[in-house]
Amino acid sequence: GNSVTQMEGPVTLSEEAFLTINCTYTATGYPSLFWYVQYPGEGLQLLLKATKADDKGSNKGFEATYRKETTSFHLEKGSVQVSDSAVYFCALSDQGGGSYIPTFGRGTSLIVHP
Amino acid sequence: NAGVTQTPKFQVLKTGQSMTLQCAQDMNHNSMYWYRQDPGMGLRLIYYSASEGTTDKGEVPNGYNVSRLNKREFSLRLESAAPSQTSVYFCASSEPRLAGVKETQYFGPGTRLLVL
């Protein structure tokens, strides 16, 4: 079956530091990959996505590249801000088998200090 | 567009009580989902509905029932609440499946449920 593994948190950084949150996946077909962000007290919202190998998703200074050879989709940002403090979820949606069910990682909490 | 809306925002129940969580979306999405979120567990799928008139069990369906009332609305019912159902519940909907485009999920703000 499909699975998503992401690094455990919390990740604690100072403002303007470089961020990497690792995400690897297992899928039977050719999935699309997503990063969602959840701010305190809110639902998840899409941060970025990539639909095929070597695609790069980007939004709000965050980037992630779909690496089929390493089955990875690591999230990066060059300079984090306090406002980036949130929980980040890696997810996949697999076309194989016609499934409508996405698979989520367990989430990584990011805390950014001034 | 309101997106995905959920009611209520908060609820406290006693063990054995029943309640229905409501969810509606105004984006004309075919697929809708109910998740629960617990600390350290990420999101776990309870039920989903691929299209109007169909529902299927997810990872943790026990103790829950769902109704896809129409294309817009998807409700989750707890018939006899238990403390283990204390959680935050999220409803989501997703875009129609088009050739070469895979679903993005749109989430509601959540319902925080405490069962005593």
Side-chain angles (χ1 to χ4, degrees):
Chain A
N2 297 337
S3 67
V4 174
T5 303
Q6 57 183 111
M7 60 192 292
E8 292 193 21
V11 173
T12 304
L13 295 173
S14 297
E15 205 164 27
E16 300 184 4
F18 184 86
L19 168 70
T20 300
I21 300 177
N22 291 337
C23 171
T24 57
Y25 68 90
T26 303
T28 54
Y30 301 92
S32 287
L33 301 174
F34 306 81
W35 278 101
Y36 289 86
V37 59
Q38 183 181 30
Y39 298 104
E42 298 183 8
L44 282 70
Q45 56 185 277
L46 179 70
L47 180 59
L48 53 85
K49 68 179 181 182
T51 58
K52 61 184 188 298
D54 299 325
D55 271 1
K56 178 185 283 188
S58 61
N59 186 26
K60 299 181 181 179
F62 291 89
E63 293 182 340
T65 301
Y66 190 145
R67 301 285 187 201
K68 195 169 188 296
E69 64 276 12
T70 54
T71 62
S72 65
F73 193 55
H74 304 321
L75 182 68
E76 297 182 335
K77 187 176 185 183
S79 176
V80 294
Q81 306 300 312
V82 172
S83 57
D84 293 327
S85 298
V87 180
Y88 293 81
F89 291 88
C90 186
L92 69 83
S93 178
D94 191 353
Q95 187 178 33
S99 170
Y100 289 92
I101 305 172
T103 303
F104 286 86
R106 293 194 170 191
T108 301
S109 175
L110 171 66
I111 302 168
V112 181
H113 294 293
Chain B
N1 278 354
V4 180
T5 56
Q6 293 183 235
T7 55
K9 286 185 168 49
F10 303 96
Q11 186 70 48
V12 179
L13 292 178
K14 295 181 180 177
T15 296
Q17 287 185 317
S18 62
M19 78 163 293
T20 299
L21 283 65
Q22 306 287 353
C23 173
Q25 52 91 9
D26 61 3
M27 296 173 283
N28 201 36
H29 289 171
N30 287 327
S31 300
M32 297 185 74
Y33 310 79
W34 276 105
Y35 296 91
R36 59 178 289 172
Q37 184 179 32
D38 302 292
M41 300 297 291
L43 287 171
R44 292 185 290 172
L45 183 66
I46 305 171
Y47 272 92
Y48 68 103
S49 171
S51 60
E52 186 178 354
T54 69
T55 60
D56 285 286
K57 295 179 180 178
E59 182 186 354
V60 288
N62 289 347
Y64 305 95
N65 285 300
V66 290
S67 296
R68 183 73 183 267
L69 303 170
N70 47 55
K71 192 171 185 178
R72 290 187 64 248
E73 299 173 287
F74 188 39
S75 63
L76 177 72
R77 183 159 177 85
L78 286 69
E79 291 290 353
S80 178
S84 61
Q85 294 178 304
T86 293
S87 188
V88 182
Y89 291 86
F90 289 101
C91 178
S93 67
S94 64
E95 299 166 328
R97 180 175 283 263
L98 303 174
V101 177
K102 313 257 177 81
E103 296 93 349
T104 295
Q105 296 224 313
Y106 296 83
F107 285 82
T111 294
R112 283 145 185 82
L113 176 66
L114 173 63
V115 182
L116 301 174

